Amino acid sequence: MSEERELLDRFAGPEEDLERLGRRLAERAEAEGLLEVAWRTVESPVGRLLLAATDRGLLRVAFANEDPDAVLADLARRVSPRLLRASRRLDPVVGELEEYFAGRRRVFDLPLDQRLSTPFRRRVQQQLPRIPYGSTATYREVAVAAENPGAVRAVGSACATNPLPIVVPCHRVVRGDGTTGGYRGGPAVKQLLLALERGERPAA
């Protein structure tokens, strides 16, 4: 039986076979250079996350309050229409996120594809991993670090549009009065991440 016939026959099989077929097609697409954006979802303490990566690195982390179809459509428009659900490229990302949420990782060590950010926003976002784990900085302090002390509002926009939250820790940026301020995943998620980094674990 030809490989093509075998693949077609599997479409009529159980869900497990369909998952296996999906993995196989994703592997073939990547091997043939047809896969430009791989994506998958993963459950986490802050809800389901959608992860997307290119061969350059992690491209997007989207929270559960974001419409996944809209996120994928935006990636297709801005990066490439060659998107496919494929887990292997994102396995290292999932592993580091699991370590982070378990309190075993304080710094992410992942290649990043930051093309979704403008040059200024990228400069701001590059300052964020320099805020120590378990600490916070104000929007003004980040503006000073980015060598543009008058751009406090623009720093807030750069944090709000950060395409790589958690990994690029915009949740560590707070208002000057110490209140948490806004967050792409919602204020409750921001508070949970800050509490996690302070060593507080939510009650079961």
Side-chain angles (χ1 to χ4, degrees):
M1 179 184 294
S2 70
E3 186 175 12
E4 290 76 10
R5 181 69 258 171
E6 181 183 351
L7 293 176
L8 287 172
D9 287 347
R10 288 194 178 191
F11 275 111
E15 184 175 344
E16 184 177 338
D17 282 345
L18 288 176
E19 291 178 2
R20 191 180 304 118
L21 173 61
R23 289 194 298 269
R24 189 168 176 181
L25 292 175
E27 290 170 2
R28 177 182 291 181
E30 187 158 17
E32 295 179 3
L34 301 176
L35 174 59
E36 295 191 13
V37 182
W39 68 274
R40 66 175 291 186
T41 58
V42 61
E43 297 298 332
S44 82
V46 295
R48 178 171 293 184
L49 301 174
L50 186 151
L51 311 173
T54 66
D55 57 1
R56 299 185 192 181
L58 183 63
L59 176 71
R60 185 74 161 86
V61 177
F63 290 106
N65 63 344
E66 300 180 71
D67 179 357
D69 290 337
V71 171
L72 294 174
D74 182 63
L75 294 179
R77 179 179 59 84
R78 298 174 64 187
V79 181
S80 172
R82 294 179 174 180
L83 293 97
L84 191 61
R85 187 166 192 152
S87 62
R88 187 172 64 175
R89 184 183 290 179
L90 288 153
D91 283 347
V93 180
V94 173
E96 292 203 9
L97 283 170
E98 288 175 348
E99 292 170 357
Y100 169 80
F101 284 118
R104 301 193 306 271
R105 174 172 291 276
R106 297 189 168 201
V107 177
F108 288 93
D109 184 25
L110 296 165
L112 304 178
D113 184 342
Q114 295 182 297
R115 74 178 85 178
L116 296 177
S117 296
T118 64
F120 174 75
R121 288 177 176 176
R122 194 177 307 146
R123 190 161 75 247
V124 170
Q125 291 157 7
Q126 287 170 346
Q127 298 299 321
L128 304 183
R130 299 178 184 179
I131 304 171
Y133 180 96
S135 302
T136 59
T138 66
Y139 292 103
R140 184 171 300 280
E141 288 170 337
V142 174
V144 170
E147 300 180 354
N148 198 336
V152 176
R153 191 177 297 273
V155 166
S157 178
C159 290
T161 58
N162 174 19
L164 297 167
I166 304 177
V167 176
V168 176
C170 53
H171 60 274
R172 296 177 191 160
V173 186
V174 299
R175 292 173 175 161
D177 63 3
T179 56
T180 55
Y183 190 58
R184 191 163 202 162
V189 169
K190 185 171 186 175
Q191 292 169 0
L192 190 152
L193 293 171
L194 291 172
L196 182 150
E197 294 189 1
R198 291 194 297 265
E200 302 169 11
R201 292 292 181 271

